[in-house]
Amino acid sequence: DAGVTQSPTHLIKTRGQHVTLRCSPISGHKSVSWYQQVLGQGPQFIFQYYEKEERGRGNFPDRFSARQFPNYSSELNVNALLLGDSALYLCASSFVTRSYEQYFGPGTRLTVT
Amino acid sequence: SQQGEEDPQALSIQEGENATMNCSYKTSINNLQWYRQNSGRGLVHLILIRSNEREKHSGRLRVTLDTSKKSSSLLITASRAADTASYFCATDALGNQGGKLIFGQGTELSVKP
């Protein structure tokens, strides 16, 4: 079975632009979570979606939004990009919302210049 | 904000030696998990220990949990060069209804052949 996939792998954007990151969970997994990992730090929780509904939101501004589609894939959108949004964005999937083992994708490296 | 502090931030050992990493956290938890990350890519789940457990083993990994001290340790025995990676503890906080994990800042392990 394929693991969690994310696209694109790398992305370079300019301050003020908008970006959309995509994630496809493992087949059969209904929960997708997004994390931001700034260089040298641990991942920080952004959102969790389960069955297309938001189940959790971290301490991120409203410039960050996400959604989950009927096939359980997910998009993370970030508006009005700031230099500080440069990070590795990780997607994790699990079968149910309280699954104790989350499967992470390889991440999307976003650079904002 | 990060939940945990990991110690040391970096650790360099020779192949065959044991590596011990420590994690402290701030709030009561349901469980604590350890993840591994190679070269800033996706995280791989290593082991989970529940709040009512004190010690757990998986292959060359041994995890301990002291809830009175809000701390955990990960021991990797007979380390190999392939164990070189960053290691993160992540907590599932008590009262969490979703899959949100709170990560520490990580320990960067280097195992020299």
Side-chain angles (χ1 to χ4, degrees):
Chain A
D1 277 344
V4 177
T5 59
Q6 293 187 244
S7 63
T9 305
H10 295 90
L11 200 53
I12 300 175
K13 289 285 190 179
T14 305
R15 276 176 295 177
Q17 287 187 319
H18 161 91
V19 69
T20 297
L21 310 180
R22 296 178 175 82
C23 171
S24 292
I26 291 172
S27 178
H29 285 194
K30 300 179 179 180
S31 173
V32 170
S33 297
W34 287 95
Y35 290 82
Q36 180 196 65
Q37 185 178 22
V38 174
L39 194 63
Q41 296 185 19
Q44 279 200 279
F45 175 78
I46 310 175
F47 286 109
Q48 182 191 20
Y49 276 76
Y50 177 71
E51 289 281 18
K52 302 177 285 298
E53 291 186 2
E54 183 182 300
R55 291 300 185 97
R57 173 185 284 257
N59 188 24
F60 279 81
D62 292 343
R63 298 184 297 107
F64 288 77
S65 64
R67 55 178 175 169
Q68 187 177 33
F69 299 99
N71 66 353
Y72 302 109
S73 67
S74 177
E75 282 183 354
L76 175 69
N77 296 284
V78 187
N79 292 322
L81 286 166
L82 303 174
L83 295 179
D85 296 331
S86 295
L88 181 68
Y89 287 85
L90 295 161
C91 171
S93 79
S94 57
F95 184 63
V96 294
T97 187
R98 288 291 287 145
S99 177
Y100 296 118
E101 182 173 349
Q102 298 192 29
Y103 296 82
F104 282 81
T108 294
R109 173 74 62 187
L110 172 66
T111 303
V112 182
T113 63
Chain B
S1 62
Q2 303 289 342
Q3 156 83 302
E5 296 288 333
E6 296 190 54
D7 167 53
Q9 288 188 324
L11 179 61
S12 182
I13 58 175
Q14 296 292 132
E15 253 189 340
E17 294 180 338
N18 295 341
T20 300
M21 289 159 268
N22 302 296
C23 165
S24 61
Y25 56 92
K26 298 175 184 174
T27 63
S28 297
I29 60 173
N30 293 312
N31 65 72
L32 184 145
Q33 304 174 35
W34 285 88
Y35 284 81
R36 165 193 167 128
Q37 185 177 39
N38 285 79
S39 303
R41 301 305 284 172
L43 287 88
V44 175
H45 183 271
L46 296 176
I47 195 167
L48 178 151
I49 186 165
R50 299 182 190 279
S51 60
N52 61 352
E53 296 175 312
R54 292 296 167 258
E55 187 171 313
K56 203 161 183 180
H57 296 254
S58 176
R60 293 185 296 113
L61 306 180
R62 173 180 169 254
V63 170
T64 62
L65 179 65
D66 187 337
T67 52
S68 66
K69 295 181 179 178
K70 291 187 168 59
S71 68
S72 174
S73 68
L74 171 68
L75 168 68
I76 304 175
T77 60
S79 62
R80 306 164 182 167
D83 294 329
T84 295
S86 293
Y87 292 82
F88 294 90
C89 67
T91 53
D92 175 8
L94 194 64
N96 179 23
Q97 296 300 307
K100 175 182 177 180
L101 293 175
I102 304 174
F103 285 83
Q105 298 205 352
T107 293
E108 192 172 331
L109 174 65
S110 175
V111 182
K112 301 187 186 309

